Amino acid sequence: MRVLCCVKRVPAPGAKINITADGQDVDTAHLGFAMSPHEECAVEEAVQLCERFDGEATVLTLGPPEAEEQLRYAASLGVQKAVLLSTDGSSWDPQRTASAIASAIETLEAADGPFDLILFGNESADSGGYQVGIRAAHALGRPIVNAIKGIEPDLDAGTATAKREIDGGFELYNLPMPAVMGVKEGLNLPRYPTMRGRLASKKIEVSVMQAEADEGGQTRVTLKQPAETVSNTVKLGNGPEAAPAIVDLFEELGLL
Amino acid sequence: MADILVLAETEDGAVVPATLEALTAARQLDGDVHVLLCGDSVDADDAAERLGEYGASTVHVGESDLLNVFGPEAWGQALALAIEEISPDVVLASGTSKGNEVLAMAAARLDLPFVANCTELPSELADDDEVELTRVQWGGSLLEQSQLSAETRIVSIAHHALEAESAGGSAAATETIDMEIDDLYARTQVVGREMAEAGVTLATAPIVFGGGRAVGSAEAFAPLEECASLMGGRVGCSRAVTNNGWRPHRDQVGQTGTRIAPELYVASGISGAIQHWVGAMASKQILAINTDPEANMVVKADYFVEGDLHQVIPAVAEEIKKRKA
């Protein structure tokens, strides 16, 4: 089984996200980076499936040269191959991103055969365009369903059952492979890198390809902060002695 | 006058409330409001009455066996066909999971841009090929001004960005469009469902007792569970808690978990990082219980108790039992 997971390097913010003086980007001077949370689960799923079915997991990212850090992290979790679609680090619109990823996948598959499963994060943590995986799947002519929180392949049948979370339960889909899925956190519990994994991640060879595609019809003009939530916080008390005041509040709000 | 096409999302035989938000937004534009209703899972006359009340003039019913249950590829093709038939200036849906999915699918087919999760729709959207839109980034922690250039402008309005308001309109006219959907797309149709036991969910609970990393273990959630069960609420948690495996992911409140909107959110031992805050910010009132009076969650809360949740929560459970007795 061959599984590809597509990830995005994003800043790892704490309590507030600051914007650069020109308003064009998140100020990352004091921030670390990570892959989007949904995609950590995509990587974990790819590794688990390839462990179960004796397969090969590949990770791909479109981003600046620094995104190699996220590829090596994926390798430390057990991914065997890594591909960097290199950009100059500027913000790429969703049409352009999807088009570059789809043509890179075609190149990879021409060399090593098709991926049975391609996993995208349902949406990126930062720009959240909700479309790159769908556009790439359409360009490749493959089925895709989003919001997936459970995957069970049946290699004999050549299909994969996918569970999509809806309010109060799950919807089930049965996709013929090769298939594409947009996955969400909760699909699994990602592992932490082991010492052996860390060593492997240093040795892995990252294939670098130049990302190329035409610009689409959406352009970022600027980023801005939403109106601040200002609250006149009322202190109800200290420690367990505040319990009656808390339950008074429940009663006032008609909750008890 | 411009033409606006709104995608109707359906669930359990009815149009979902989020679609009424999209109609309310569509009405603010100067245009004729059309709706695409896919398949026969919803009674077209009932839908026309409901959608008309919220401002739709015409409901176009897409007819095909492949549209009667949801499938993102079939519905995406149906929307693309409707766009070709109606030639709308604007195509709109609520930015729900399926709304964004179907818009993206149609946009991919037509090779058009798609701007997801706008917070409001400027009037120029109806009649200008180049328009600047405000949209959500980071789950709502940042906003982006985005330039959209397209003859057909496909956008979603962020779910809960506005409240649905009736226009008091009469039933919309209905027209059927015979849709030729590619048989291949049966491959992504819903084939079944697994529903949890009925009851209050995290998304619908009137009170949520949330715990963060400071709770310390899976077992230490017991007092929060007790409070939630005494009050008909649910327990929620932060991403740190699910990453530690203390609670299942379905309990996570946050950007990558559930967006909650209870009457009261009791946030215990939660610092209030962005990831968590965007899932909790729609709560009507927030009570923070924390040892740190400077914590982000405390600063943004309506009420605050300074203290250790391991002492405060059991005392709250006792007090609730005393008053219920």
PDB file of all heavy atoms in Angstrom, chain B residues 202-237:
ATOM      1  N   LEU B 202     -22.045  17.958  22.944  1.00  0.00           N
ATOM      2  CA  LEU B 202     -21.197  19.088  23.323  1.00  0.00           C
ATOM      3  C   LEU B 202     -21.655  20.365  22.602  1.00  0.00           C
ATOM      4  O   LEU B 202     -21.668  21.445  23.182  1.00  0.00           O
ATOM      5  CB  LEU B 202     -19.743  18.740  22.950  1.00  0.00           C
ATOM      6  CG  LEU B 202     -18.629  19.583  23.529  1.00  0.00           C
ATOM      7  CD1 LEU B 202     -18.700  19.664  25.039  1.00  0.00           C
ATOM      8  CD2 LEU B 202     -17.279  19.032  23.086  1.00  0.00           C
ATOM      9  N   ALA B 203     -22.050  20.207  21.342  1.00  0.00           N
ATOM     10  CA  ALA B 203     -22.440  21.369  20.534  1.00  0.00           C
ATOM     11  C   ALA B 203     -23.768  21.972  20.987  1.00  0.00           C
ATOM     12  O   ALA B 203     -24.045  23.138  20.723  1.00  0.00           O
ATOM     13  CB  ALA B 203     -22.523  20.976  19.058  1.00  0.00           C
ATOM     14  N   THR B 204     -24.610  21.178  21.685  1.00  0.00           N
ATOM     15  CA  THR B 204     -25.944  21.680  22.030  1.00  0.00           C
ATOM     16  C   THR B 204     -26.172  21.808  23.539  1.00  0.00           C
ATOM     17  O   THR B 204     -27.233  22.248  23.963  1.00  0.00           O
ATOM     18  CB  THR B 204     -27.028  20.729  21.464  1.00  0.00           C
ATOM     19  OG1 THR B 204     -26.806  19.414  21.980  1.00  0.00           O
ATOM     20  CG2 THR B 204     -27.003  20.676  19.946  1.00  0.00           C
ATOM     21  N   ALA B 205     -25.190  21.421  24.379  1.00  0.00           N
ATOM     22  CA  ALA B 205     -25.379  21.446  25.835  1.00  0.00           C
ATOM     23  C   ALA B 205     -25.574  22.882  26.343  1.00  0.00           C
ATOM     24  O   ALA B 205     -24.892  23.791  25.871  1.00  0.00           O
ATOM     25  CB  ALA B 205     -24.184  20.807  26.526  1.00  0.00           C
ATOM     26  N   PRO B 206     -26.493  23.097  27.296  1.00  0.00           N
ATOM     27  CA  PRO B 206     -26.687  24.441  27.844  1.00  0.00           C
ATOM     28  C   PRO B 206     -25.546  24.871  28.770  1.00  0.00           C
ATOM     29  O   PRO B 206     -25.319  26.061  28.972  1.00  0.00           O
ATOM     30  CB  PRO B 206     -27.996  24.327  28.627  1.00  0.00           C
ATOM     31  CG  PRO B 206     -28.130  22.866  28.951  1.00  0.00           C
ATOM     32  CD  PRO B 206     -27.469  22.127  27.822  1.00  0.00           C
ATOM     33  N   ILE B 207     -24.854  23.880  29.365  1.00  0.00           N
ATOM     34  CA  ILE B 207     -23.696  24.205  30.207  1.00  0.00           C
ATOM     35  C   ILE B 207     -22.598  23.184  29.915  1.00  0.00           C
ATOM     36  O   ILE B 207     -22.861  21.995  29.770  1.00  0.00           O
ATOM     37  CB  ILE B 207     -24.059  24.250  31.713  1.00  0.00           C
ATOM     38  CG1 ILE B 207     -22.833  24.606  32.560  1.00  0.00           C
ATOM     39  CG2 ILE B 207     -24.676  22.939  32.195  1.00  0.00           C
ATOM     40  CD1 ILE B 207     -23.164  25.011  33.998  1.00  0.00           C
ATOM     41  N   VAL B 208     -21.376  23.702  29.760  1.00  0.00           N
ATOM     42  CA  VAL B 208     -20.231  22.818  29.490  1.00  0.00           C
ATOM     43  C   VAL B 208     -19.185  23.039  30.577  1.00  0.00           C
ATOM     44  O   VAL B 208     -18.851  24.185  30.907  1.00  0.00           O
ATOM     45  CB  VAL B 208     -19.621  23.102  28.096  1.00  0.00           C
ATOM     46  CG1 VAL B 208     -18.333  22.300  27.891  1.00  0.00           C
ATOM     47  CG2 VAL B 208     -20.624  22.775  26.992  1.00  0.00           C
ATOM     48  N   PHE B 209     -18.740  21.939  31.184  1.00  0.00           N
ATOM     49  CA  PHE B 209     -17.658  22.000  32.160  1.00  0.00           C
ATOM     50  C   PHE B 209     -16.366  21.581  31.469  1.00  0.00           C
ATOM     51  O   PHE B 209     -16.177  20.410  31.167  1.00  0.00           O
ATOM     52  CB  PHE B 209     -17.959  21.073  33.349  1.00  0.00           C
ATOM     53  CG  PHE B 209     -19.044  21.594  34.254  1.00  0.00           C
ATOM     54  CD1 PHE B 209     -20.383  21.321  33.983  1.00  0.00           C
ATOM     55  CD2 PHE B 209     -18.732  22.382  35.361  1.00  0.00           C
ATOM     56  CE1 PHE B 209     -21.387  21.816  34.804  1.00  0.00           C
ATOM     57  CE2 PHE B 209     -19.738  22.884  36.183  1.00  0.00           C
ATOM     58  CZ  PHE B 209     -21.071  22.601  35.912  1.00  0.00           C
ATOM     59  N   GLY B 210     -15.503  22.562  31.214  1.00  0.00           N
ATOM     60  CA  GLY B 210     -14.274  22.279  30.483  1.00  0.00           C
ATOM     61  C   GLY B 210     -13.095  22.132  31.420  1.00  0.00           C
ATOM     62  O   GLY B 210     -12.999  22.828  32.442  1.00  0.00           O
ATOM     63  N   GLY B 211     -12.188  21.217  31.083  1.00  0.00           N
ATOM     64  CA  GLY B 211     -10.965  21.041  31.859  1.00  0.00           C
ATOM     65  C   GLY B 211      -9.762  21.077  30.950  1.00  0.00           C
ATOM     66  O   GLY B 211      -9.821  20.616  29.810  1.00  0.00           O
ATOM     67  N   GLY B 212      -8.664  21.641  31.458  1.00  0.00           N
ATOM     68  CA  GLY B 212      -7.443  21.734  30.667  1.00  0.00           C
ATOM     69  C   GLY B 212      -6.335  20.875  31.227  1.00  0.00           C
ATOM     70  O   GLY B 212      -6.572  19.972  32.031  1.00  0.00           O
ATOM     71  N   ARG B 213      -5.123  21.182  30.799  1.00  0.00           N
ATOM     72  CA  ARG B 213      -3.958  20.406  31.207  1.00  0.00           C
ATOM     73  C   ARG B 213      -3.858  20.295  32.734  1.00  0.00           C
ATOM     74  O   ARG B 213      -3.450  19.264  33.269  1.00  0.00           O
ATOM     75  CB  ARG B 213      -2.701  21.104  30.672  1.00  0.00           C
ATOM     76  CG  ARG B 213      -1.423  20.298  30.782  1.00  0.00           C
ATOM     77  CD  ARG B 213      -0.211  21.205  30.520  1.00  0.00           C
ATOM     78  NE  ARG B 213      -0.237  21.782  29.189  1.00  0.00           N
ATOM     79  CZ  ARG B 213       0.246  21.172  28.107  1.00  0.00           C
ATOM     80  NH1 ARG B 213       0.783  19.973  28.202  1.00  0.00           N
ATOM     81  NH2 ARG B 213       0.200  21.765  26.927  1.00  0.00           N
ATOM     82  N   ALA B 214      -4.276  21.369  33.437  1.00  0.00           N
ATOM     83  CA  ALA B 214      -4.135  21.407  34.890  1.00  0.00           C
ATOM     84  C   ALA B 214      -4.957  20.330  35.592  1.00  0.00           C
ATOM     85  O   ALA B 214      -4.712  20.028  36.765  1.00  0.00           O
ATOM     86  CB  ALA B 214      -4.544  22.788  35.417  1.00  0.00           C
ATOM     87  N   VAL B 215      -5.925  19.736  34.912  1.00  0.00           N
ATOM     88  CA  VAL B 215      -6.705  18.663  35.540  1.00  0.00           C
ATOM     89  C   VAL B 215      -5.762  17.499  35.891  1.00  0.00           C
ATOM     90  O   VAL B 215      -5.903  16.869  36.943  1.00  0.00           O
ATOM     91  CB  VAL B 215      -7.854  18.189  34.618  1.00  0.00           C
ATOM     92  CG1 VAL B 215      -8.617  17.018  35.236  1.00  0.00           C
ATOM     93  CG2 VAL B 215      -8.813  19.345  34.358  1.00  0.00           C
ATOM     94  N   GLY B 216      -4.805  17.207  35.029  1.00  0.00           N
ATOM     95  CA  GLY B 216      -3.704  16.330  35.402  1.00  0.00           C
ATOM     96  C   GLY B 216      -3.804  14.873  35.017  1.00  0.00           C
ATOM     97  O   GLY B 216      -2.784  14.216  34.867  1.00  0.00           O
ATOM     98  N   SER B 217      -5.015  14.327  34.870  1.00  0.00           N
ATOM     99  CA  SER B 217      -5.147  12.910  34.494  1.00  0.00           C
ATOM    100  C   SER B 217      -6.571  12.646  34.027  1.00  0.00           C
ATOM    101  O   SER B 217      -7.461  13.474  34.236  1.00  0.00           O
ATOM    102  CB  SER B 217      -4.846  11.999  35.691  1.00  0.00           C
ATOM    103  OG  SER B 217      -5.876  12.129  36.658  1.00  0.00           O
ATOM    104  N   ALA B 218      -6.769  11.464  33.424  1.00  0.00           N
ATOM    105  CA  ALA B 218      -8.110  11.081  32.985  1.00  0.00           C
ATOM    106  C   ALA B 218      -9.046  10.954  34.185  1.00  0.00           C
ATOM    107  O   ALA B 218     -10.188  11.426  34.158  1.00  0.00           O
ATOM    108  CB  ALA B 218      -8.046   9.760  32.217  1.00  0.00           C
ATOM    109  N   GLU B 219      -8.556  10.349  35.271  1.00  0.00           N
ATOM    110  CA  GLU B 219      -9.380  10.088  36.463  1.00  0.00           C
ATOM    111  C   GLU B 219      -9.830  11.394  37.103  1.00  0.00           C
ATOM    112  O   GLU B 219     -10.928  11.493  37.648  1.00  0.00           O
ATOM    113  CB  GLU B 219      -8.600   9.269  37.505  1.00  0.00           C
ATOM    114  CG  GLU B 219      -8.183   7.878  37.039  1.00  0.00           C
ATOM    115  CD  GLU B 219      -7.060   7.899  36.001  1.00  0.00           C
ATOM    116  OE1 GLU B 219      -6.161   8.771  36.107  1.00  0.00           O
ATOM    117  OE2 GLU B 219      -7.092   7.073  35.061  1.00  0.00           O
ATOM    118  N   ALA B 220      -8.945  12.406  37.053  1.00  0.00           N
ATOM    119  CA  ALA B 220      -9.238  13.664  37.743  1.00  0.00           C
ATOM    120  C   ALA B 220     -10.374  14.445  37.080  1.00  0.00           C
ATOM    121  O   ALA B 220     -10.780  15.501  37.581  1.00  0.00           O
ATOM    122  CB  ALA B 220      -7.972  14.514  37.826  1.00  0.00           C
ATOM    123  N   PHE B 221     -10.912  13.933  35.954  1.00  0.00           N
ATOM    124  CA  PHE B 221     -12.079  14.579  35.349  1.00  0.00           C
ATOM    125  C   PHE B 221     -13.384  14.196  36.053  1.00  0.00           C
ATOM    126  O   PHE B 221     -14.440  14.747  35.756  1.00  0.00           O
ATOM    127  CB  PHE B 221     -12.166  14.240  33.849  1.00  0.00           C
ATOM    128  CG  PHE B 221     -11.410  15.197  32.977  1.00  0.00           C
ATOM    129  CD1 PHE B 221     -10.066  14.986  32.708  1.00  0.00           C
ATOM    130  CD2 PHE B 221     -12.030  16.326  32.454  1.00  0.00           C
ATOM    131  CE1 PHE B 221      -9.358  15.878  31.925  1.00  0.00           C
ATOM    132  CE2 PHE B 221     -11.323  17.219  31.666  1.00  0.00           C
ATOM    133  CZ  PHE B 221      -9.979  16.998  31.398  1.00  0.00           C
ATOM    134  N   ALA B 222     -13.303  13.222  36.999  1.00  0.00           N
ATOM    135  CA  ALA B 222     -14.534  12.724  37.643  1.00  0.00           C
ATOM    136  C   ALA B 222     -15.397  13.827  38.261  1.00  0.00           C
ATOM    137  O   ALA B 222     -16.619  13.841  38.044  1.00  0.00           O
ATOM    138  CB  ALA B 222     -14.186  11.642  38.660  1.00  0.00           C
ATOM    139  N   PRO B 223     -14.825  14.767  39.030  1.00  0.00           N
ATOM    140  CA  PRO B 223     -15.684  15.821  39.601  1.00  0.00           C
ATOM    141  C   PRO B 223     -16.347  16.696  38.527  1.00  0.00           C
ATOM    142  O   PRO B 223     -17.483  17.146  38.716  1.00  0.00           O
ATOM    143  CB  PRO B 223     -14.722  16.653  40.451  1.00  0.00           C
ATOM    144  CG  PRO B 223     -13.565  15.747  40.730  1.00  0.00           C
ATOM    145  CD  PRO B 223     -13.431  14.873  39.521  1.00  0.00           C
ATOM    146  N   LEU B 224     -15.656  16.919  37.410  1.00  0.00           N
ATOM    147  CA  LEU B 224     -16.263  17.696  36.319  1.00  0.00           C
ATOM    148  C   LEU B 224     -17.414  16.902  35.699  1.00  0.00           C
ATOM    149  O   LEU B 224     -18.479  17.451  35.391  1.00  0.00           O
ATOM    150  CB  LEU B 224     -15.211  18.018  35.247  1.00  0.00           C
ATOM    151  CG  LEU B 224     -14.146  19.041  35.658  1.00  0.00           C
ATOM    152  CD1 LEU B 224     -12.918  18.945  34.751  1.00  0.00           C
ATOM    153  CD2 LEU B 224     -14.708  20.453  35.607  1.00  0.00           C
ATOM    154  N   GLU B 225     -17.204  15.583  35.551  1.00  0.00           N
ATOM    155  CA  GLU B 225     -18.266  14.690  35.052  1.00  0.00           C
ATOM    156  C   GLU B 225     -19.475  14.762  35.965  1.00  0.00           C
ATOM    157  O   GLU B 225     -20.620  14.814  35.502  1.00  0.00           O
ATOM    158  CB  GLU B 225     -17.779  13.231  35.037  1.00  0.00           C
ATOM    159  CG  GLU B 225     -16.808  12.890  33.940  1.00  0.00           C
ATOM    160  CD  GLU B 225     -17.491  12.657  32.599  1.00  0.00           C
ATOM    161  OE1 GLU B 225     -18.718  12.877  32.503  1.00  0.00           O
ATOM    162  OE2 GLU B 225     -16.775  12.261  31.659  1.00  0.00           O
ATOM    163  N   GLU B 226     -19.203  14.762  37.284  1.00  0.00           N
ATOM    164  CA  GLU B 226     -20.301  14.769  38.246  1.00  0.00           C
ATOM    165  C   GLU B 226     -21.123  16.055  38.109  1.00  0.00           C
ATOM    166  O   GLU B 226     -22.358  16.009  38.040  1.00  0.00           O
ATOM    167  CB  GLU B 226     -19.761  14.625  39.674  1.00  0.00           C
ATOM    168  CG  GLU B 226     -20.873  14.464  40.686  1.00  0.00           C
ATOM    169  CD  GLU B 226     -20.380  14.306  42.123  1.00  0.00           C
ATOM    170  OE1 GLU B 226     -19.193  14.572  42.399  1.00  0.00           O
ATOM    171  OE2 GLU B 226     -21.212  13.920  42.976  1.00  0.00           O
ATOM    172  N   CYS B 227     -20.445  17.188  38.037  1.00  0.00           N
ATOM    173  CA  CYS B 227     -21.153  18.473  37.874  1.00  0.00           C
ATOM    174  C   CYS B 227     -21.984  18.459  36.589  1.00  0.00           C
ATOM    175  O   CYS B 227     -23.148  18.866  36.569  1.00  0.00           O
ATOM    176  CB  CYS B 227     -20.165  19.631  37.813  1.00  0.00           C
ATOM    177  SG  CYS B 227     -19.433  20.034  39.399  1.00  0.00           S
ATOM    178  N   ALA B 228     -21.367  17.986  35.490  1.00  0.00           N
ATOM    179  CA  ALA B 228     -22.060  17.982  34.201  1.00  0.00           C
ATOM    180  C   ALA B 228     -23.303  17.101  34.279  1.00  0.00           C
ATOM    181  O   ALA B 228     -24.372  17.484  33.787  1.00  0.00           O
ATOM    182  CB  ALA B 228     -21.127  17.490  33.091  1.00  0.00           C
ATOM    183  N   SER B 229     -23.175  15.941  34.900  1.00  0.00           N
ATOM    184  CA  SER B 229     -24.332  15.040  34.911  1.00  0.00           C
ATOM    185  C   SER B 229     -25.415  15.572  35.851  1.00  0.00           C
ATOM    186  O   SER B 229     -26.605  15.438  35.572  1.00  0.00           O
ATOM    187  CB  SER B 229     -23.891  13.606  35.218  1.00  0.00           C
ATOM    188  OG  SER B 229     -24.131  13.273  36.545  1.00  0.00           O
ATOM    189  N   LEU B 230     -25.025  16.228  36.948  1.00  0.00           N
ATOM    190  CA  LEU B 230     -26.024  16.830  37.849  1.00  0.00           C
ATOM    191  C   LEU B 230     -26.834  17.920  37.148  1.00  0.00           C
ATOM    192  O   LEU B 230     -27.986  18.168  37.474  1.00  0.00           O
ATOM    193  CB  LEU B 230     -25.327  17.435  39.073  1.00  0.00           C
ATOM    194  CG  LEU B 230     -24.849  16.456  40.152  1.00  0.00           C
ATOM    195  CD1 LEU B 230     -23.898  17.155  41.131  1.00  0.00           C
ATOM    196  CD2 LEU B 230     -26.046  15.872  40.907  1.00  0.00           C
ATOM    197  N   MET B 231     -26.192  18.586  36.164  1.00  0.00           N
ATOM    198  CA  MET B 231     -26.842  19.750  35.554  1.00  0.00           C
ATOM    199  C   MET B 231     -27.279  19.528  34.113  1.00  0.00           C
ATOM    200  O   MET B 231     -27.686  20.469  33.431  1.00  0.00           O
ATOM    201  CB  MET B 231     -25.908  20.949  35.620  1.00  0.00           C
ATOM    202  CG  MET B 231     -25.641  21.334  37.059  1.00  0.00           C
ATOM    203  SD  MET B 231     -24.898  22.946  37.197  1.00  0.00           S
ATOM    204  CE  MET B 231     -26.075  23.994  36.395  1.00  0.00           C
ATOM    205  N   GLY B 232     -27.206  18.308  33.628  1.00  0.00           N
ATOM    206  CA  GLY B 232     -27.613  18.050  32.240  1.00  0.00           C
ATOM    207  C   GLY B 232     -26.690  18.704  31.236  1.00  0.00           C
ATOM    208  O   GLY B 232     -27.118  19.114  30.156  1.00  0.00           O
ATOM    209  N   GLY B 233     -25.416  18.827  31.599  1.00  0.00           N
ATOM    210  CA  GLY B 233     -24.449  19.427  30.690  1.00  0.00           C
ATOM    211  C   GLY B 233     -23.484  18.386  30.165  1.00  0.00           C
ATOM    212  O   GLY B 233     -23.743  17.191  30.237  1.00  0.00           O
ATOM    213  N   ARG B 234     -22.388  18.874  29.595  1.00  0.00           N
ATOM    214  CA  ARG B 234     -21.375  17.965  29.065  1.00  0.00           C
ATOM    215  C   ARG B 234     -19.994  18.416  29.507  1.00  0.00           C
ATOM    216  O   ARG B 234     -19.772  19.589  29.807  1.00  0.00           O
ATOM    217  CB  ARG B 234     -21.415  17.969  27.524  1.00  0.00           C
ATOM    218  CG  ARG B 234     -22.546  17.152  26.920  1.00  0.00           C
ATOM    219  CD  ARG B 234     -22.445  15.663  27.206  1.00  0.00           C
ATOM    220  NE  ARG B 234     -21.223  15.058  26.704  1.00  0.00           N
ATOM    221  CZ  ARG B 234     -21.152  14.352  25.579  1.00  0.00           C
ATOM    222  NH1 ARG B 234     -22.221  14.181  24.821  1.00  0.00           N
ATOM    223  NH2 ARG B 234     -19.997  13.827  25.194  1.00  0.00           N
ATOM    224  N   VAL B 235     -19.049  17.465  29.530  1.00  0.00           N
ATOM    225  CA  VAL B 235     -17.661  17.805  29.815  1.00  0.00           C
ATOM    226  C   VAL B 235     -16.947  18.090  28.495  1.00  0.00           C
ATOM    227  O   VAL B 235     -17.115  17.361  27.517  1.00  0.00           O
ATOM    228  CB  VAL B 235     -16.961  16.644  30.565  1.00  0.00           C
ATOM    229  CG1 VAL B 235     -15.454  16.874  30.636  1.00  0.00           C
ATOM    230  CG2 VAL B 235     -17.542  16.508  31.965  1.00  0.00           C
ATOM    231  N   GLY B 236     -16.186  19.177  28.495  1.00  0.00           N
ATOM    232  CA  GLY B 236     -15.351  19.491  27.342  1.00  0.00           C
ATOM    233  C   GLY B 236     -13.896  19.545  27.803  1.00  0.00           C
ATOM    234  O   GLY B 236     -13.614  19.477  28.998  1.00  0.00           O
ATOM    235  N   CYS B 237     -12.970  19.682  26.872  1.00  0.00           N
ATOM    236  CA  CYS B 237     -11.561  19.747  27.274  1.00  0.00           C
ATOM    237  C   CYS B 237     -10.741  20.476  26.217  1.00  0.00           C
ATOM    238  O   CYS B 237     -11.227  20.780  25.136  1.00  0.00           O
ATOM    239  CB  CYS B 237     -11.008  18.348  27.507  1.00  0.00           C
ATOM    240  SG  CYS B 237     -10.922  17.343  26.020  1.00  0.00           S
TER     241      CYS B 237
END
